[in-house]
Amino acid sequence: MNYSVIFRKTLLLILLAVPVLLLDSCSSSSGKKGGKTSSSKSKSGKGREVASKGKGGKKGRNSKKDDIGMVNGEVAATARKGWKQTTPLGMVLIPSGSYMMGQADEDIVSSSVNFNKRVSVAQFFLDDTEISNNEYRQFTTAMLTDSISVLGEEKIMSEYYPDTTVWSKDFTYHNGDPMTEYYFSSPAFDLYPVVGVSWRAAKYFCEWRTKALNDYRTAEGMYISPRYRLPSEAEWEWAARGGKASAKYPWGNPYVANGKGCLLANFKPHRGNYDSDGYAYTAPVNAYNPNDYGLYNMAGNVAEWCIDAYSDNAVAITWDLNTLNDDKDEPRKVIRGGSWKDVAYYLETGTRSYEYEDKKRSYIGFRCAMTHLGRSSGKEFR
């Protein structure tokens, strides 16, 4: 008898049988655990969720009772169903992050108003372009149609309507009459950034835009959205850098023209020369290439209002998380990004400037921001 052959066959059978027995043991064990969880419904988050669903029944997603419930004397509440914050039309989601806020190059004017400071910024939405004439015209039309009995025509025209005379008033010995007459009213400038709008008017536009959105969402049975607002100075700078932590300009470093000599923004490249970039005054809001976050004209075209009050020592008086200088007694408000009339220094991501909150200029516009509630998975940025 060949014992070696019998031994090998026996060993092979044992090796085959052991995994089968182990799998059967694991299956029976998990079955017991699963049965225990489903019966108690209170030992894990999953059990609590099932219990809450069972108690909730068939209710609308806005029902106030969807998020509460007690099962066998234990709390079984789960998140309210139907909530999902979608990206608003015309906006992009800016990821959270930490960066060295402040000057990204030499302080050539020796202003000492923007020393570097590491700050963190939470996720938020930002308009991919500056607010255009056409978009702002929808606001003024609505004001003159729906709010004239409340606010009065004089208040609307003096405070919220763009001051078209800024094209003549802002510059001495300058023929701004054609721009004064046509810039806000003509279809030729529909996609150009609105100007002649004060900080107060920009804030009121955000309030109107919020009401318009949430009136619709409420009518459709949806949860209300966070409000539109002006971006903070820290948010604006983080977004302008486009993910390039120490970028001098939104497109990177260190030049204002590409390898072919084409200027990358709308500004004043040389003394007396406003036309080299392709536009003597403002450019369309989607002109030039966007930065890596998909934002257009974060440098040049028009400077942009921020929500912050201006202070020379902002670095010392503000916190380092979601930095904001909310001084309501300070009439000076931060503007960022430089404009069509400015030299390249004002295009830098770290350059700060200001204007008084009630002033209207031919070179200042704005874009809106919106808070992102919670933190995303990060898939939006891949």
Side-chain angles (χ1 to χ4, degrees), residues 279-309:
Y279 301 92
Y281 292 100
T282 58
V285 293
N286 59 352
Y288 306 97
N289 293 326
N291 71 1
D292 287 353
Y293 285 158
L295 303 171
Y296 293 85
N297 288 305
M298 292 299 284
N301 211 23
V302 291
E304 300 176 13
W305 290 114
C306 293
I307 196 67
D308 299 63

Side-chain angles (χ1 to χ4, degrees), residues 105 248-249 251-257:
D105 201 356
K248 181 177 179 179
Y249 301 108
W251 49 84
N253 296 317
Y255 305 113
V256 293

Side-chain angles (χ1 to χ4, degrees), residues 148-379:
I148 194 167
S149 60
V150 178
L151 299 175
E153 183 176 2
E154 182 179 353
K155 181 179 179 67
I156 294 172
M157 295 301 294
S158 63
E159 294 191 20
Y160 304 132
Y161 202 86
D163 182 1
T164 58
T165 65
V166 292
W167 294 103
S168 299
K169 294 190 301 185
D170 282 350
F171 312 105
T172 305
Y173 302 113
H174 164 255
N175 181 20
D177 289 349
M179 299 295 283
T180 296
E181 185 174 357
Y182 299 112
Y183 186 76
F184 185 65
S185 60
S186 173
F189 295 103
D190 275 355
L191 294 181
Y192 284 64
V194 67
V195 297
V197 174
S198 69
W199 180 84
R200 294 173 182 172
K203 277 193 64 180
Y204 200 79
F205 174 90
C206 294
E207 294 175 14
W208 168 82
R209 191 177 176 185
T210 300
K211 185 178 185 303
L213 174 63
N214 282 330
D215 282 351
Y216 168 79
R217 292 181 64 87
T218 301
E220 293 295 316
M222 297 185 285
Y223 294 112
I224 63 171
S225 168
R227 68 182 183 276
Y228 291 99
R229 55 178 174 78
L230 294 177
S232 70
E233 184 178 11
E235 287 175 333
W236 191 97
E237 185 174 324
W238 171 243
R241 293 174 185 251
K244 297 179 173 68
S246 58
K248 181 177 179 179
Y249 301 108
W251 49 84
N253 296 317
Y255 305 113
V256 293
N258 61 20
K260 297 181 179 179
C262 299
L263 295 172
L264 299 172
N266 181 18
F267 67 110
K268 182 182 178 181
H270 308 289
R271 178 174 293 181
N273 184 349
Y274 295 84
D275 196 58
S276 292
D277 50 45
Y279 301 92
Y281 292 100
T282 58
V285 293
N286 59 352
Y288 306 97
N289 293 326
N291 71 1
D292 287 353
Y293 285 158
L295 303 171
Y296 293 85
N297 288 305
M298 292 299 284
N301 211 23
V302 291
E304 300 176 13
W305 290 114
C306 293
I307 196 67
D308 299 63
Y310 179 84
S311 175
D312 288 340
N313 64 337
V315 169
I317 65 175
T318 55
W319 201 29
D320 54 3
L321 174 61
N322 289 332
T323 305
L324 176 65
N325 182 12
D326 187 23
D327 184 357
K328 295 178 175 56
D329 296 325
E330 174 55 71
R332 298 177 299 170
K333 305 301 179 184
V334 173
I335 57 173
R336 286 297 200 109
S339 74
W340 59 268
K341 73 165 191 65
D342 293 317
V343 296
Y345 168 74
Y346 290 97
L347 273 60
E348 295 180 15
T349 56
T351 300
R352 305 175 69 229
S353 190
Y354 69 87
E355 184 53 89
Y356 287 88
E357 61 185 28
D358 60 345
K359 296 297 183 181
K360 302 180 178 184
R361 300 298 187 189
S362 61
Y363 46 86
I364 302 179
F366 69 100
R367 69 181 79 208
C368 300
M370 177 188 285
T371 300
H372 180 271
L373 302 182
R375 186 183 178 99
S376 77
S377 64
K379 293 180 180 178

